Amino acid sequence: MPKLILPAALRRHLPETVSEMDVEGPTVADALDELMLAHPQLRPVLFEGSELKNTVRVFVNEEDIRSLHGTGTPIQGNDEVLLLPPIAGG
Amino acid sequence: MTSPALDPTRYARHLSLPGIGLEGQERLRASSVLIVGLGGLGCPASLYLAAAGIGRLGLADFDTIDTSNLQRQVLYTERDVGKRKIDRAAKALHVRNRELTLDRIPEGLTPDNAVDLIRGYDLVLDGTDNFATRYLINDAAALAGVPVVSASLFQFECQVAVFAPSAGGPCYRCLFPDMPAPGEVPNCAEAGVFGALCGVAGSMQAMEAIKWITGAGEPLLGFLLTVDALSHRHHRVRVGRDPGCALCGADPTITEIRAERYRFVCDPFPGEKPEIPPREARALADALFVDVREPWEWDLVRLPDAVHLPLGEVARRKNELPRDRPLVVYCHAGIRSLRAVEGLRAAGFSRAVSLQGGIDRWAVELDQNLPRY
């Protein structure tokens, strides 16, 4: 089953133990829908209207979905979907 | 003038390394690196670069050492508190390698000096703690044609990458085109940072710099590495060059450094602010104090009779707040609370005001018994 990996910057909006989530797919958009259904409080963090914010990148395994098929990118098997927000601490 | 020969004993463990050797060591000595930010990342990075025999290090930081820095900023000692970081760092690095040339830049990196300053170095290490300076470094370095070894932290996670449009790679804007809005991502002071992870990320920066200079191995160019210290999950993802990038794309719109692009650090809310000084806030009849800090801060110290509503939950839980009373919203220093008030006013809480200077100023001016942090 594909897995959604949630970074620390998003985890602060989630219960403490949630750092990943199994998703069905079959596309990245479906996986994000599943995430919104389970944790609706993430919607304003990740979305602007119905569009994913430009300050969040999504990778399927190693690849940026912008270089694949955007949120229409298919996911299956052991695919890992990584959400990557910018962080600035140092 | 020819420089004296390298001390083969001192660098013996490099000289015997395939990929570095005498040639690589000579390259290190002939190279210069600008370190912007001498905090959690800049401390370990500069220590390893000094030890590795880099020729010249630029130290850019305007800050002084605070007690809360000692948990991770390993160049400084308890006696250094209150002193300038660049001075203490230069001293600590000099005693480790007397051949190292050190440039001190006490004003730090600014929109005025960025491009010229960066142009004087072979590489820049970004060890800053805010988005405005990160974008400034990225933009100025791309314009100057100098690669950036970047690392950033959030709690138990770090991201490390090399950005170098001049070498055919991406820049930071290819990955994240626009700076997040102020308050969208919490800073270290609010969120906390895992000290030992700074050592990992800063050492990785030194490592990538040494690899870049000596040509050893594959640089982290075109990739970004994320490390989650809690789970030890590491991800390496590909970062492509964006042909539409405003800085390094085919038709760039960022062709010079303009200060207004990098402003939010100084004043996220220009103009008149809906805020109130502590003394006036205390005198406000019937006011409800709303604490928007993180739970650990609330546990540490709070104002009497306050209610707790962390900033991240204000939008969702605002209707728990009364609309018929003045709301004095506070955080640690008065920045997050302004952001909360902005949202509350937009939602119709017209009597919401932010406590100027936060609980910290309250503790100084009104109640010395409150612990400060």
Side-chain angles (χ1 to χ4, degrees), chain B residues 125-138:
Chain B
L125 256 59
D126 182 347
T128 57
D129 63 358
N130 63 84
F131 283 113
T133 317
R134 286 188 178 277
Y135 278 83
L136 174 61
I137 291 172
N138 179 68

Side-chain angles (χ1 to χ4, degrees), chain B residues 26 41 135 145 179 267 291:
Chain B
E26 290 284 10
L41 296 165
Y135 278 83
M179 195 161 17
D267 189 357
D291 187 322

Side-chain angles (χ1 to χ4, degrees), chain A residues 3-90:
Chain A
K3 200 173 273 179
L4 206 56
I5 313 284
L6 302 164
L10 295 182
R11 268 181 249 157
R12 68 195 175 99
H13 303 281
L14 299 170
E16 206 169 309
T17 49
V18 179
S19 65
E20 56 181 53
M21 187 179 137
D22 288 335
V23 287
E24 300 265 342
T27 67
V28 169
D30 296 316
L32 292 173
D33 281 347
E34 290 170 62
L35 178 67
M36 291 307 112
L37 206 60
H39 305 288
Q41 68 273 28
L42 284 180
R43 183 170 290 283
V45 181
L46 293 175
F47 286 88
E48 201 140 348
S50 59
E51 294 288 314
L52 202 57
K53 280 189 185 174
N54 208 15
T55 46
V56 185
R57 292 273 80 83
V58 182
F59 295 84
V60 173
N61 302 324
E62 230 184 44
E63 303 296 332
D64 191 331
I65 59 167
R66 291 182 299 173
S67 67
L68 302 170
H69 303 284
T71 52
T73 302
I75 50 171
Q76 57 173 351
N78 294 323
D79 282 345
E80 287 192 331
V81 182
L82 175 74
L83 298 182
L84 188 85
I87 55 177

Side-chain angles (χ1 to χ4, degrees), chain B residues 54-212:
Chain B
I54 204 91
R56 185 163 64 94
L57 278 184
L59 308 176
D61 200 316
F62 59 83
D63 215 355
T64 54
I65 297 154
D66 185 82
T67 306
S68 69
N69 298 153
L70 299 178
Q71 163 259 19
R72 65 197 178 283
Q73 301 186 14
V74 293
L75 276 175
Y76 314 123
T77 69
E78 291 172 4
R79 281 190 301 182
D80 295 336
V81 170
K83 295 175 180 156
R84 291 201 309 188
K85 288 186 179 177
I86 50 162
D87 296 333
R88 302 318 295 167
K91 193 171 164 87
L93 296 169
H94 178 74
V95 296
R96 283 167 170 81
N97 196 339
R98 274 172 299 168
E99 288 181 357
L100 170 66
T101 303
L102 291 158
D103 309 330
R104 299 180 203 195
I105 301 109
E107 66 274 26
L109 195 80
T110 69
D112 288 335
N113 70 10
V115 176
D116 286 342
L117 185 61
I118 288 174
R119 200 173 268 141
Y121 293 86
D122 299 314
L123 269 181
V124 191
L125 256 59
D126 182 347
T128 57
D129 63 358
N130 63 84
F131 283 113
T133 317
R134 286 188 178 277
Y135 278 83
L136 174 61
I137 291 172
N138 179 68
D139 296 358
L143 294 173
V146 175
V148 180
V149 184
S150 162
S152 52
L153 301 152
F154 181 85
Q155 295 184 339
F156 294 95
E157 270 178 25
C158 69
Q159 299 176 357
V160 185
V162 176
F163 298 111
S166 60
C171 79
Y172 190 58
R173 283 188 191 271
C174 295
L175 183 63
F176 297 115
D178 304 311
M179 195 161 17
E184 199 168 317
V185 181
N187 66 31
C188 280
E190 299 160 18
V193 62
F194 191 34
L197 181 63
C198 296
V200 172
S203 299
M204 280 190 184
Q205 283 182 289
M207 203 164 74
E208 285 305 309
I210 293 167
K211 282 166 59 188
W212 186 274

Side-chain angles (χ1 to χ4, degrees), chain B residues 274-333:
Chain B
E275 57 186 7
I276 183 168
R279 211 169 290 278
E280 286 176 37
R282 189 172 60 177
L284 212 55
D286 195 32
L288 177 67
F289 283 74
V290 182
D291 187 322
V292 294
R293 297 172 304 150
E294 299 297 309
W296 69 268
E297 299 175 275
W298 168 261
D299 290 341
L300 203 63
V301 53
R302 67 187 78 154
L303 295 181
D305 301 322
V307 296
H308 186 211
L309 192 57
L311 182 60
E313 297 176 24
V314 170
R316 188 161 50 88
R317 292 175 48 199
K318 57 181 179 293
N319 290 330
E320 295 172 20
L321 298 171
R323 286 174 184 272
D324 54 351
R325 288 172 67 182
L327 301 176
V328 176
V329 183
Y330 74 91
C331 61
H332 182 232

